[in-house]
Amino acid sequence: LIHTLALHDALPIFVRLRVAALASVENDESLQQLVPYFVQFIAEKVTHNTKNIFVLQTMMELASALTRNERLFIDPYTTTLCSSVLTCLVGRGLTNATPVEVKDHYKLREFSASLLGHIAKKYAKSSQQLKPRLARTVLKYFLNPKKPLDQHYGAISGLVAVGGPESVRMLIIPNLKAYNSVLVKGQTESPLDAEMVIGALMKAIRGLEEDAAVLANGNGNGTEELSAQVEEFVGPIIGGHISKLGDHKLEKAILECRT
């Protein structure tokens, strides 16, 4: 099975034996010589199946299994793997836009973000520039208003996965006021995508609640004043969603990002 998976046309067999194959890849210690073939296999299938969500999801699961096998030395192949993951994270046109595929392609981007974060953390020591390079790559997508909202969703999820709360404070929140215009346009032209992006932003922002060091530095402003300051800082759309939470500690944490 493992030798067959390394072949270019092995996808039908891999699909039929998907669960067993993934478990084997994640736990088999004898696969080191096949690692470059697996990496090439993933890259080729991702490149040639950019509108096939099932194939892309399967390839991301295979990449995840490879990187979670503690007996394999993957370090020389992280750049190629990351390229495949980034395609599934911030690639354009990953679906033919049927209702089911729209839902599934967001799941694919979310899974890819988690995988990218795992790779960035696990291989940071062997490649000190890996995490900054990945963060810069996805940040470019987030800051480009011409990119579709589904790509923005992937970029936001990727930034959080790679950089954690620090990336939210330094890279996401300070850009939200300018990003408000993107959301306004998106709510008119593509409400579902705009809703998904707002959800990703709110999930990222609420992650700041876990940063006790930031929350401890809040000031004593009144609640209405806090909400007004937050809305002025991040824009009315995200500011309004934050205000509805009634979480004044979170509002203080957001205002800390001004400095």
Side-chain angles (χ1 to χ4, degrees):
L1 170 62
I2 297 303
H3 284 280
T4 304
L5 289 180
L7 300 177
H8 180 77
D9 297 320
L11 187 60
I13 297 176
F14 181 78
V15 170
R16 290 197 298 270
L17 301 174
R18 181 179 181 182
V19 175
L22 289 173
S24 177
V25 171
E26 186 169 345
N27 297 290
D28 195 327
E29 60 183 16
S30 64
L31 300 180
Q32 184 61 53
Q33 290 184 330
L34 288 175
V35 167
Y37 295 98
F38 277 119
V39 174
Q40 181 183 8
F41 179 71
I42 292 169
E44 290 180 354
K45 292 304 176 185
V46 168
T47 299
H48 297 295
N49 293 276
T50 54
K51 288 187 178 297
N52 190 323
I53 297 298
F54 183 78
V55 172
L56 296 178
Q57 180 68 36
T58 302
M59 291 302 100
M60 291 300 96
E61 291 175 1
L62 176 56
S64 178
L66 280 174
T67 61
R68 296 181 192 281
N69 188 329
E70 299 298 333
R71 301 172 181 84
L72 299 182
F73 183 63
I74 307 291
D75 301 54
Y77 310 100
T78 54
T79 298
T80 303
L81 270 181
C82 284
S83 295
S84 298
V85 177
L86 285 168
T87 297
C88 295
L89 177 66
V90 293
R92 184 167 188 167
L94 299 182
T95 173
N96 290 315
T98 65
V100 173
E101 287 185 336
V102 168
K103 181 179 179 180
D104 288 345
H105 102 275
Y106 275 108
K107 290 182 179 180
L108 170 64
R109 293 184 193 273
E110 187 173 350
F111 184 87
S112 301
S114 176
L115 176 56
L116 194 71
H118 167 70
I119 293 173
K121 181 179 180 179
K122 182 173 182 179
Y123 301 104
K125 290 183 179 179
S126 61
S127 179
Q128 295 182 352
Q129 293 301 312
L130 178 62
K131 185 179 290 188
R133 186 172 69 248
L134 292 175
R136 287 194 299 269
T137 299
V138 293
L139 180 63
K140 290 179 182 178
Y141 282 84
F142 174 53
L143 296 181
N144 188 342
K146 295 182 180 180
K147 297 293 185 182
L149 286 178
D150 55 355
Q151 290 182 284
H152 286 180
Y153 176 91
I156 294 163
S157 301
L159 275 174
V160 176
V162 171
E166 190 65 21
S167 68
V168 178
R169 287 196 297 270
M170 300 293 292
L171 303 176
I172 293 179
I173 289 180
N175 289 298
L176 286 180
K177 187 170 184 178
Y179 193 72
N180 188 78
S181 61
V182 176
L183 293 176
V184 170
K185 182 179 179 182
Q187 287 180 325
T188 301
E189 297 180 353
S190 184
L192 175 59
D193 291 324
E195 180 182 346
M196 293 299 297
V197 170
I198 290 172
L201 288 170
M202 291 302 298
K203 180 180 178 180
I205 292 168
R206 295 191 72 170
L208 294 180
E209 292 177 306
E210 301 175 2
D211 195 334
V214 173
L215 299 183
N217 292 325
N219 55 47
N221 291 340
T223 57
E224 292 185 3
E225 183 180 351
L226 276 176
S227 296
Q229 290 183 23
V230 168
E231 185 169 323
E232 171 63 24
F233 180 39
V234 303
I237 293 180
I238 298 300
H241 280 76
I242 294 170
S243 179
K244 290 178 182 178
L245 296 176
D247 189 336
H248 306 307
K249 288 184 176 180
L250 178 60
E251 289 177 329
K252 292 176 183 180
I254 292 168
L255 293 176
E256 286 286 333
C257 300
R258 293 181 297 187
T259 58

